[in-house]
């Protein structure tokens, strides 16, 4: 079974039910893994096999997944749906109060954690090692986090909208996270994948596991995989 990073390197060469308390954080495996610093993602598809109405009608939370990695194209499509650029002036797939875009999106793979860069539609290495087991513990041992080949994490920088909206900034960031999560969930349906939005987790532990900057607050963890 090829890993996502292996597929990416080949492509480049060729072209909320939860336990009441968080579990102890296990040590991540493969910490010594050397990650490609950037992974260019394929251009997103702008037309799919299902209509928006069909994706809305059949979307359901999926918590069990096949033991199979996603392709680089599928990952790129999911991340583009989350925060992809859709105009020449930098507007994105999800609306943002004042166009200030306070959200940052990370993807947790078996090889490590990557940060999504919307402007270049690429992944940038953030930390090496399989962080899914410790993320599973930080998410109150919810099985979907352990079973999924990837997890998309949405974090917010409240200071960005605060320059314009003051004390209402966190509210707008939270609203925007909902827009982004729904985009990801509907895109997963369109790709014949399963996903579930998770908001029950220990914030500090998720920040620790993913080594998030001090000004970023995790808002959503979204496991995604092939339906079992």
């Amino acid at each position: 079974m090829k890993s996502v990073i292996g597929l990416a390197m080949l492509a480049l060469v060729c072209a909320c039910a939860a336990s009441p308390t968080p579990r102890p954080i296990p040590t991540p495996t493969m910490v010594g893994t050397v990650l490609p610093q950037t992974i260019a993602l394929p251009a997103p598809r702008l037309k799919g096999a299902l209509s928006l109405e069909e994706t809305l009608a059949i979307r359901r939370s999926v918590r069990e997944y096949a033991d199979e990695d996603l392709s680089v194209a599928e990952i790129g499509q999911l991340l583009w749906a989350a925060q992809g650029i859709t105009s020449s002036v930098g507007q994105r797939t999800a609306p943002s109060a004042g166009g200030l875009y306070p959200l940052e999106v990370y993807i947790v793979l078996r090889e490590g954690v990557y940060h999504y860069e919307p402007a270049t539609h690429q992944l940038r290495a953030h930390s090496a090692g399989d962080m899914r087991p410790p993320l599973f513990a930080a998410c109150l041992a919810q099985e979907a986090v352990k079973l999924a080949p990837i997890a998309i994490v949405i974090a917010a920088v409240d200071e960005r909208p605060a320059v314009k909206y003051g004390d209402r900034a966190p509210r707008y960031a939270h609203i925007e996270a909902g827009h982004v999560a729904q985009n990801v969930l509907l895109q997963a349906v369109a790709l014949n994948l399963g996903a579930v939005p998770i908001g029950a987790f220990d914030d500090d532990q998720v920040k620790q596991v993913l080594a998030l900057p001090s000004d970023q607050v995790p808002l959503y963890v979204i496991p995604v995989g092939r339906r079992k």
Side-chain angles (χ1 to χ4, degrees), residues 83 94-97 100-103 171-181:
Q83 283 283 273
S96 179
L100 297 172
Y101 301 109
L103 302 184
R171 175 184 301 200
Y172 293 149
H174 293 178
I175 290 171
E176 186 172 335
H179 302 329
V180 170

Side-chain angles (χ1 to χ4, degrees), residues 10 85 115 137 145 184 207:
L10 179 60
I85 302 295
H115 176 240
V145 180
V184 171
K207 287 191 69 165

Side-chain angles (χ1 to χ4, degrees), residues 79-159:
L79 295 174
W80 174 82
Q83 283 283 273
I85 302 295
T86 55
S87 79
S88 60
V89 296
Q91 293 164 311
R92 302 185 186 180
T93 51
S96 179
L100 297 172
Y101 301 109
L103 302 184
E104 298 294 336
V105 177
Y106 297 84
I107 184 165
V108 184
L109 307 170
R110 80 176 70 246
E111 296 86 356
V113 180
Y114 275 85
H115 176 240
Y116 177 58
E117 297 184 342
T120 53
H121 191 52
Q122 69 176 5
L123 300 178
R124 183 167 296 277
H126 183 70
S127 62
D130 189 353
M131 300 297 172
R132 294 173 305 161
L135 184 62
F136 161 72
C139 290
L140 312 180
Q142 296 185 71
E143 289 292 314
V145 180
K146 181 172 68 175
L147 297 174
I150 73 165
I152 293 172
V153 178
I154 303 170
V157 183
D158 290 338
E159 287 81 358

